[in-house]
Amino acid sequence: MIGFLSGKVLSAKPTKLIIDVNGVGYLVNISITTFEKIADQKEVALYIYTNVREDAIVLFGFSSESEKEMFELLISVNGIGPKLAQSILSGIQVDELKQAIQTSDISRIVAVPGVGRKTAERIFVELKGKVDSMPELEGILHTGNVRGEAIAALTTLGYNLKIAEKITREILTIDSSISIEDLIRRALSQLNR
């Protein structure tokens, strides 16, 4: 099984990547979150999950071990395959998903395209105890709550969920100790340019 790949980026699209590893091109499925982290890089290193099916071997790549671990937890849930797990990780950050599972925040999970109420409930039931054992991600206690509140405020004001998540993530990357009020203010000023 392939567990890690490092090489030159031949082609990068939001959900697919071709990596040249010593002359061999590997087609790797990636989440939008991973794509955003590697989009401008000429060389990448990805953690790989190898999905072996009857008719194909499909690779899924992740920019962090925590994202790969969450992917593996998601596909362990009855009814969630690799494609849906990839879609979930494209729609929500790992730390936000972990927090949503711990707090049973169903509205946050069903906001991800392709995830209905029953699937979200299955995720809660099957993963609640398992995500608790995942290592804490940096800043989850502060930025997770602030980010979630800011995203909720922006979507309530009518902004697109994906755009609200992207702007708040960018702002929090620059200043992780920002207050909720300043975060919303900065996000609104960027959104209204």
Side-chain angles (χ1 to χ4, degrees):
M1 295 290 173
I2 298 170
F4 184 83
L5 286 176
S6 176
K8 294 178 189 168
V9 176
L10 295 180
S11 168
K13 295 179 181 165
T15 59
K16 291 200 184 297
L17 182 72
I18 298 177
I19 304 174
D20 176 358
V21 181
N22 297 324
V24 179
Y26 290 92
L27 176 64
V28 181
N29 293 286
I30 57 172
S31 67
I32 291 172
T33 304
T34 293
F35 176 75
E36 288 173 352
K37 290 178 183 172
I38 64 166
D40 56 349
Q41 297 178 11
K42 301 240 186 282
E43 292 202 11
V44 295
L46 296 174
Y47 295 95
I48 301 293
Y49 175 83
T50 306
N51 182 37
V52 180
R53 300 188 321 220
E54 250 180 55
D55 58 341
I57 296 174
V58 184
L59 304 178
F60 292 87
F62 309 95
S63 60
S64 68
E65 280 186 278
S66 60
E67 188 181 16
K68 181 184 178 199
E69 189 176 339
M70 184 61 82
F71 176 86
E72 290 172 337
L73 285 174
L74 286 169
I75 62 173
S76 74
V77 174
N78 188 23
I80 297 183
K83 285 289 185 187
L84 181 54
Q86 177 186 1
S87 177
I88 292 169
L89 290 172
S90 291
I92 186 170
Q93 296 288 313
V94 173
D95 56 342
E96 291 176 65
L97 179 57
K98 179 180 176 183
Q99 188 171 32
I101 292 169
Q102 289 172 324
T103 60
S104 298
D105 184 357
I106 198 156
S107 62
R108 183 64 190 101
I109 306 264
V110 296
V112 175
V115 179
R117 188 169 189 84
K118 286 185 179 181
T119 302
E121 288 170 354
R122 263 198 317 269
I123 290 171
F124 294 144
V125 170
E126 295 187 33
L127 297 185
K128 195 157 192 139
K130 294 179 182 176
V131 296
D132 292 338
S133 65
M134 283 181 70
E136 284 297 317
L137 298 172
E138 224 172 278
I140 187 171
L141 296 174
H142 176 69
T143 60
N145 293 334
V146 170
R147 181 187 293 142
E149 288 177 33
I151 291 168
L154 293 169
T155 54
T156 301
L157 292 171
Y159 292 99
N160 177 289
L161 175 67
K162 286 261 191 222
I163 294 169
E165 286 177 337
K166 186 174 188 266
I167 296 272
T168 53
R169 184 176 37 229
E170 288 171 357
I171 295 168
L172 285 168
T173 301
I174 296 166
D175 182 4
S176 63
S177 61
I178 191 170
S179 70
I180 181 71
E181 296 82 10
D182 289 340
L183 176 58
I184 293 171
R185 229 178 267 120
R186 275 197 218 167
L188 287 170
S189 71
Q190 287 186 21
L191 287 165
N192 294 323
R193 282 186 187 165

